[in-house]
Amino acid sequence: MNGFLDVLGRQVLAVSAALGGLALLVRASFYWLFRSRLELRQTLIQMAKIGADSLPVTVMTSFFTGMVLALQTAISSQRLFNEPLFVGTVVSFSMVMELSPVLTALVVAGRAGAAIAAELGTMRVTEQVDALLTLGTDPVRYLVIPRFLAFMLVLPLLTVLSDFSGTAGGLVVSVMRFGIPENTYWHDIIDYMETKHFYHGVIKSAVFAFAISFICSYRGLSTTGGAEGVGRSTTGAVVASMVAVLLLDYFASSILVAMGIP
Amino acid sequence: MIQIRGLLKSFGRRPVLQGVDLDVGTGETLVVIGGSGCGKSTLLKCVVGLIPSDGGTIIVDDRDLRSVHDEAERSEWRGKFGYLFQEGALFDSMSVWENVAFGLKYMTNMPHSRYRRIASEKLALVGLKDVEDLKPAQLSGGMKKRVALARAIAASPRYILYDEPTTGLDPIMSDVINNLVLDLQKKLGVTSIAVTHDMKSALKIATRIAMLHEGRVLAAGSPEEIRESRDPAVRQFIEGRSMGPIGAV
Ligand SMILES: Nc1ncnc2c1ncn2[C@@H]1O[C@H](COP(=O)(O)OP(=O)(O)OP(=O)(O)O)[C@@H](O)[C@H]1O
Ligand SMILES: [Mg+2]
């Protein structure tokens, strides 16, 4: 019993310390964001990296997700109504409001987030972070802010791309497998979709970008203990990012709904 | 000038620095010697402010490190120093010349167009040429060390902290580096602290030598005084014997 409480207490302390450290990192980032020149070149490099890293997986994931959504929807409505109805509506709404932002965030966390944690972790244990400090550069400004900004720009973009590719996946299955006319599919979407549905997903993806970039940067920069430590930081960063995405998804959705952005 | 008084630092329960007192006059090169793991690198990192000390004072240019609070002041403090890391700490995503020129952007007002030329000049000072476009991973250990040295001195700092400048270099290259350190001190009046195990190098570059042992300064004096010292621990260290008051095991 004591042992259990001991372990529990330690875990609670570790999580609190991490959250505190994370909050300090966010604060330091905003401090530098408004007080120093932006590292434009680093930001562009990071945008290119995140985009190139995650684009193929994102597109493929969402395309297949759109396909499977169309399949399930068409089969269910065939059972109920003897014909596939509203397939475009279901596919596009599911993608735009929920699946694109979440799946893209999970893919990017596993790809670009892991890369950030590993890179910053290696820089930490080989004293490159200290070297930045002695050369007059703050690591938050030089390393964290460019990654944060790149995430905030690229993740929503990837999410929009994923909206399109998911919808396209649904279209392929609807037309080829169920013989739904292309026009019907598009009308099922256009007749119901409004810009605010689209914003709902994009805003959520920005929230995820914020969380993933800071969690992975923080885990990277707080790495200790050589190569083993870098491995630990990387897996830890990915798991924490994914959990954060799924938790924040619920809260962000309910706040957005309360604000009238359904 | 650098003044260190009663410096304390522990890692967890392991005390490393237990009241270090040191003075480095302007234009001096203080060489710190001492056994492996006795806290020499830790001392340098405390001075430059990379790790916080647990107590004691560090005064540089009449300014106490404890009075440095916000990020801008900390950055200004660190900017006074050039720092050679024991393991080099080169940025592995950048080429050699970008590494050397890195500090110029943040610590000088020099125009961009001159960075590459200055990097080449500094590399020539440490005996390297035609390596500008290589990546650190393509260099040998001794070359990395020298690139790191070129980077540390690139922005012409008034204070330089060297963590083992000649470790891993052949005897000829060691002498090139010793002469470079001497030149920086004599011609530019740079104030430095150099950590080394290499007694030959220590005796050549030092204006003063201090020996660190068990978290304190065991002996300090001119190179001659240290060479003639009667302290058994100092004798054991400079003669490199395993038997003596400093337990080897
Ligand atoms: N980040 C750290 N965490 C915990 N202990 C540390 C840390 N850095 C150094 N130490 C410990 O502090 C002591 C002094 O380390 P330091 O690197 O200053 O030694 P050193 O005198 O530079 O040795 P060497 O000559 O081998 O480079 C060592 O016992 C080391 O184990
Ligand atoms: Mg050392």
Side-chain angles (χ1 to χ4, degrees):
Chain A
M1 187 64 202
N2 254 339
F4 171 74
L5 285 179
D6 208 42
V7 169
L8 188 72
R10 239 178 267 256
Q11 290 293 328
V12 170
L13 280 179
V15 170
S16 319
L19 285 177
L22 197 59
L24 287 178
L25 181 65
V26 172
R27 201 183 70 166
S29 301
F30 280 93
Y31 174 92
W32 284 114
L33 195 56
F34 297 114
R35 268 175 203 74
S36 63
R37 222 172 13 144
L38 175 65
E39 295 284 347
L40 190 61
R41 183 156 169 262
Q42 288 302 311
T43 310
L44 292 176
I45 291 175
Q46 291 304 323
M47 285 174 67
K49 250 194 204 166
I50 299 170
D53 267 1
S54 313
L55 183 66
V57 203
T58 307
V59 169
M60 219 177 63
T61 314
S62 53
F63 193 82
F64 277 92
T65 308
M67 284 171 71
V68 91
L69 276 174
L71 181 76
Q72 305 279 25
T73 313
I75 288 178
S76 310
S77 68
Q78 250 174 350
R79 279 201 196 114
L80 288 170
F81 310 112
N82 278 326
E83 61 173 321
L85 289 175
F86 295 117
V87 179
T89 319
V90 172
V91 171
S92 62
F93 269 74
S94 316
M95 288 309 295
V96 166
M97 298 201 36
E98 190 57 37
L99 291 171
S100 279
V102 171
L103 288 178
T104 309
L106 294 179
V107 166
V108 169
R111 204 75 172 71
I116 288 184
E119 188 182 2
L120 299 193
T122 306
M123 290 186 74
R124 162 60 79 198
V125 299
T126 55
E127 297 185 317
Q128 293 177 53
V129 173
D130 291 334
L132 278 178
L133 286 167
T134 65
L135 294 168
T137 313
D138 194 280
V140 172
R141 164 174 138 194
Y142 188 77
L143 301 172
V144 178
I145 292 179
R147 284 165 174 78
F148 160 65
L149 292 178
F151 256 89
M152 292 300 281
L153 292 170
V154 173
L155 189 53
L157 270 178
L158 285 173
T159 302
V160 174
L161 262 175
S162 149
D163 289 345
F164 282 112
S165 112
T167 310
L171 177 70
V172 168
V173 170
S174 303
V175 174
M176 315 256 279
R177 177 142 182 197
F178 295 96
I180 301 170
E182 210 181 313
N183 250 335
T184 314
Y185 185 83
W186 286 121
H187 269 288
D188 282 345
I189 298 174
I190 296 162
D191 291 350
Y192 301 96
M193 183 74 68
E194 292 174 49
T195 42
K196 57 185 183 181
H197 298 117
F198 179 77
Y199 286 142
H200 182 95
V202 172
I203 293 173
K204 283 203 295 193
S205 82
V207 172
F208 301 155
F210 186 97
I212 299 171
S213 61
F214 278 115
I215 289 173
C216 295
S217 296
Y218 173 73
R219 277 308 297 253
L221 288 179
S222 53
T223 301
T224 53
E228 194 194 353
V230 174
R232 229 179 305 123
S233 292
T234 309
T235 46
V238 173
V239 171
S241 299
M242 289 182 169
V243 172
V245 165
L246 296 172
L247 292 183
L248 286 172
D249 185 35
Y250 177 76
F251 293 107
S253 301
S254 27
I255 290 172
L256 286 171
V257 167
M259 285 165 62
I261 310 172
Chain B
M1 84 168 250
I2 304 175
Q3 204 177 54
I4 301 169
R5 289 286 174 274
L7 189 66
L8 301 173
K9 178 70 196 174
S10 313
F11 288 107
R13 275 196 212 105
R14 169 201 284 259
V16 176
L17 304 176
Q18 309 180 51
V20 172
D21 301 312
L22 278 175
D23 288 288
V24 193
T26 305
E28 265 197 318
T29 301
L30 172 75
V31 168
V32 177
I33 58 175
S36 189
C38 75
K40 303 181 298 296
S41 301
T42 306
L43 172 68
L44 293 189
K45 284 181 190 165
C46 286
V47 170
V48 75
L50 283 177
I51 51 182
S53 64
D54 300 336
T57 56
I58 299 171
I59 296 174
V60 176
D61 289 342
D62 299 321
R63 179 103 204 245
D64 190 333
L65 181 55
R66 284 177 308 181
S67 74
V68 167
H69 293 299
D70 74 22
E71 213 23 73
E73 288 177 330
R74 255 199 289 276
S75 166
E76 186 197 330
W77 176 279
R78 287 187 298 250
K80 292 191 239 211
F81 299 90
Y83 195 106
L84 170 63
F85 286 86
Q86 187 169 359
E87 312 285 345
L90 296 177
F91 303 124
D92 44 26
S93 61
M94 296 176 207
S95 68
V96 164
W97 83 266
E98 287 170 323
N99 263 283
V100 176
F102 191 87
L104 299 177
K105 184 170 167 191
Y106 300 98
M107 306 205 292
T108 68
N109 302 321
M110 228 170 263
H112 256 275
S113 50
R114 292 184 50 202
Y115 289 177
R116 190 171 166 121
R117 229 198 40 237
I118 293 191
S120 298
E121 283 169 22
K122 303 292 174 183
L123 286 167
L125 285 181
V126 297
L128 289 170
K129 58 176 199 287
D130 300 330
V131 296
E132 282 84 348
D133 294 306
L134 299 180
K135 284 283 174 72
Q138 296 168 295
L139 303 176
S140 75
M143 288 162 90
K144 280 185 199 154
K145 195 75 190 231
R146 286 182 282 153
V147 173
L149 179 55
R151 183 178 71 180
I153 64 174
S156 312
R158 290 190 301 118
Y159 293 93
I160 305 181
L161 307 179
Y162 305 94
D163 201 343
E164 308 198 0
T166 57
T167 308
L169 302 185
D170 65 66
I172 299 167
M173 228 0 112
S174 295
D175 203 49
V176 170
I177 299 305
N178 289 338
N179 287 328
L180 172 64
V181 174
L182 272 176
D183 271 358
L184 288 169
Q185 183 232 335
K186 293 221 171 91
K187 293 191 185 143
L188 301 177
V190 167
T191 306
S192 27
I193 305 180
V195 163
T196 187
H197 292 290
D198 175 353
M199 281 313 295
K200 194 166 162 232
S201 161
L203 293 171
K204 179 156 183 181
I205 63 177
T207 53
R208 266 159 32 85
I209 296 181
M211 177 157 167
L212 211 58
H213 182 54
E214 291 180 340
R216 286 197 180 76
V217 175
L218 179 68
S222 67
E224 292 71 39
E225 284 167 351
I226 293 294
R227 207 170 37 201
E228 308 303 329
S229 167
R230 299 202 173 281
D231 186 297
V234 176
R235 289 239 62 82
Q236 185 195 352
F237 191 85
I238 60 178
E239 285 163 15
R241 286 180 281 107
S242 60
M243 304 301 277
I246 306 176
V249 201

